């Protein structure tokens, strides 16, 4: 079976590592990997292929930047041309990024069956572009692969057939298992003088937190409060960096004591920081899952989450009022070791990729 796998953004590359490792177990699988270019900066793209020893994509479309609609339309046009020349049997899309939506819509228009991994995740907040992407991808998909039970329940409530829905688990657990040694041996925490732990790790990039003046003001207050409690490490996403530079806030942040501003980090470096910190403060969906897998305390600076199992069963706590002062109180609890004990969700066992390919080939 000829499968075209769409990659576009950083979260996709990490999950591709698990899918690539398991693909070799299936003799009747031919994989075409298409990198759309949504994340084009080397530190957001090529570094993952190098660091995780992944083969180069079969095709690179080079479509980056632009408004959401323009990016999706250009990617759809390029994929349509590619798949007319090299028609796959199935298209597999991962997650909720623009590249995944473009792949699902282009395949649907060509009557190529679409498989969606991370199907059914819902924040029920349509202000989020990712939420609209998720719903449209699921509508175009014929096979729906879920990471958690809530995703299956959401799809059934939306009228999808039980036969089209499979609970396969979480590919991040696979990748964390595969790269446990390089993560554990990474020198970055020691190089920053933080090998003993006791620090806070912050990563924020969502539009609601960084695009407007109110969000940037909260971000500055959050970092100031946290840095007054413990050392803070803040790898700055390119989107966040752009907003900070435009607002003139970057220079003010550099003057805050106890704050380490870093460039975006390779995946194993970030995981090493995440493993040894006292608390992660984030708005990232993947980080909520990673911390649940590793048992690291996580505080999510959002009003909702599309990954509820990380909060109901894992180590994640939502901060719906987005208050920097409340975040400071949670940080003090984490530093004191007063955090809830999480548990590993069902099927987050490091073998999700094999279940993905088995479901695709069975269909």
């Amino acid at each position: 079976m000829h499968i075209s796998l769409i990659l576009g953004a950083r979260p996709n590359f990490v999950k591709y590592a698990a899918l690539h490792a398991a693909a070799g177990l299936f003799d009747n699988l031919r994989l075409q990997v298409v990198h759309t270019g949504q994340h084009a900066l080397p530190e957001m793209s090529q570094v993952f292929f190098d660091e995780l020893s992944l083969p180069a994509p079969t095709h690179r479309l080079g479509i980056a930047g632009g408004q959401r609609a323009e990016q999706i339309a250009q990617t759809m046009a390029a994929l349509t041309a590619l798949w007319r020349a090299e028609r796959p049997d199935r298209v597999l899309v991962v997650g909720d990024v623009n590249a995944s939506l473009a792949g699902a819509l282009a395949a649907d228009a060509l009557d190529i069956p679409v498989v969606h991994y991370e199907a059914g995740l819902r924040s029920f907040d349509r202000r989020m572009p990712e939420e609209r992407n998720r719903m449209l991808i699921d509508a175009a998909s014929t096979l729906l692969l879920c990471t958690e039970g809530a995703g299956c329940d959401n799809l059934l409530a939306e009228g999808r057939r039980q036969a089209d829905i499979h609970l396969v688990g979480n590919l991040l657990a696979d990748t964390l298992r595969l790269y446990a040694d390089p993560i554990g041996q990474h020198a970055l925490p020691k190089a920053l003088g933080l090998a003993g732990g006791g620090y806070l790790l912050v990563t924020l990039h969502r539009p609601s937190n960084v695009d407007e003046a109110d969000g940037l003001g909260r971000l500055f207050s959050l970092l100031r409060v946290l840095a007054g409690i413990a050392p803070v490490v803040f790898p700055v996403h390119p989107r966040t960096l752009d907003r900070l530079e435009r607002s003139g806030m970057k220079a003010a942040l550099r003057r805050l004591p106890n704050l380490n501003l870093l460039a975006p980090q390779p995946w194993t470096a970030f995981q090493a920081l995440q493993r040894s910190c006292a608390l992660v403060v984030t708005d990232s969906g993947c980080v909520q899952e990673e911390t649940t897998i590793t048992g690291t305390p996580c505080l999510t600076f959002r009003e909702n989450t599309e990954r509820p199992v990380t909060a109901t069963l894992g180590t994640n706590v939502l901060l719906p009022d987005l208050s920097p002062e409340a975040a400071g109180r949670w940080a003090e609890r984490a530093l004191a070791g007063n955090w809830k004990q999480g548990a590993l969700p069902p099927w987050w066992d490091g073998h999700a990729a094999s279940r993905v390919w088995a479901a695709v080939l069975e269909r």
Side-chain angles (χ1 to χ4, degrees):
M1 184 178 286
H2 178 194
I3 309 294
S4 188
L5 171 64
I6 303 300
L7 306 178
R10 183 165 61 169
N12 300 159
F13 309 143
V14 177
K15 292 157 193 170
Y16 168 44
L19 292 169
H20 167 69
L25 303 175
F26 298 87
D27 294 333
N28 53 340
L29 174 64
R30 181 162 70 92
L31 189 59
Q32 173 198 73
V33 179
V34 183
H35 186 342
T36 70
Q38 180 176 335
H39 277 176
L41 294 173
E43 65 269 26
M44 301 289 284
S45 175
Q46 188 57 45
V47 66
F48 289 86
F49 289 87
D50 296 340
E51 180 182 28
L52 303 178
S53 300
L54 297 174
T58 317
H59 299 281
R60 292 182 183 268
L61 304 184
I63 299 169
Q67 296 298 315
R68 177 172 176 260
E70 295 168 343
Q71 189 180 84
I72 292 169
Q74 291 173 21
T75 306
M76 286 179 64
L79 289 171
T80 299
L82 172 63
W83 289 335
R84 280 178 176 157
E86 302 179 30
R87 186 179 179 88
D89 298 307
R90 300 283 186 274
V91 168
L92 172 60
V93 300
V94 175
D96 52 25
V97 300
N98 292 342
S100 300
L101 175 59
L105 294 178
D108 181 66
L110 292 169
D111 292 323
I112 301 171
V114 179
V115 181
H116 185 203
Y117 168 78
E118 288 189 3
L121 297 181
R122 299 287 183 269
S123 67
F124 303 102
D125 183 354
R126 288 181 58 85
R127 296 172 298 175
M128 300 172 60
E130 297 88 350
E131 179 75 357
R132 301 195 294 275
N133 285 0
R134 284 189 285 266
M135 297 176 73
L136 290 168
I137 294 169
D138 283 342
S141 298
T142 58
L143 182 59
L144 302 149
L145 307 180
C146 302
T147 58
E148 60 177 274
C152 301
D153 295 340
N154 291 333
L155 292 167
L156 291 171
E158 292 170 6
R160 301 306 299 264
R161 298 190 315 156
Q162 179 72 67
D164 297 330
I165 302 168
H166 292 253
L167 179 61
V168 295
N170 199 311
L171 291 173
L172 288 173
D174 295 35
T175 310
L176 285 166
R177 177 178 59 84
L178 288 168
Y179 296 90
D181 286 344
I183 292 169
Q185 297 165 10
H186 205 284
L188 182 58
K190 184 177 181 181
L192 294 173
L194 299 170
Y199 62 93
L200 310 172
L201 178 63
V202 177
T203 169
L204 297 168
H205 72 280
R206 289 190 179 270
S208 57
N209 285 328
V210 304
D211 273 12
E212 304 298 334
D214 287 350
L216 283 175
R218 276 196 306 271
L219 171 59
F220 185 86
S221 297
L222 171 71
L223 293 169
R224 183 176 56 194
V225 168
L226 296 180
I229 297 170
V232 174
V233 180
F234 182 27
V236 186
H237 189 282
R239 177 193 189 89
T240 307
L241 179 62
D242 175 68
R243 304 310 190 266
L244 290 172
E245 289 177 339
R246 287 189 194 182
S247 68
M249 203 174 288
K250 180 182 175 184
L253 282 177
R254 289 198 177 280
R255 291 193 293 269
L256 285 179
N258 238 15
L259 176 63
N260 290 282
L261 290 178
L262 303 180
Q265 294 299 300
W267 185 74
T268 53
F270 184 78
Q271 294 306 314
L273 289 171
Q274 198 164 259
R275 283 281 177 96
S276 56
C277 71
L279 173 69
V280 182
V281 181
T282 190
D283 58 11
S284 161
C286 286
V287 170
Q288 295 173 59
E289 294 179 325
E290 289 164 353
T291 50
T292 283
I293 293 164
T294 60
T296 305
C298 179
L299 183 66
T300 298
F301 215 58
R302 281 172 52 184
E303 297 173 355
N304 47 58
T305 180
E306 66 282 354
R307 294 164 166 84
V309 76
T310 64
T312 58
L313 195 59
T315 55
N316 185 25
V317 171
L318 288 179
L319 189 64
D321 64 356
L322 308 184
S323 162
E325 291 73 22
R329 292 191 290 272
W330 281 106
E332 288 172 343
R333 288 183 59 173
L335 288 160
N338 185 21
W339 203 265
K340 65 175 179 175
Q341 187 70 37
L344 203 61
W347 299 108
W348 293 27
D349 57 0
H351 301 286
S354 294
R355 288 189 287 269
V356 167
W357 291 130
V360 171
L361 293 170
E362 178 185 351
R363 174 60 63 92

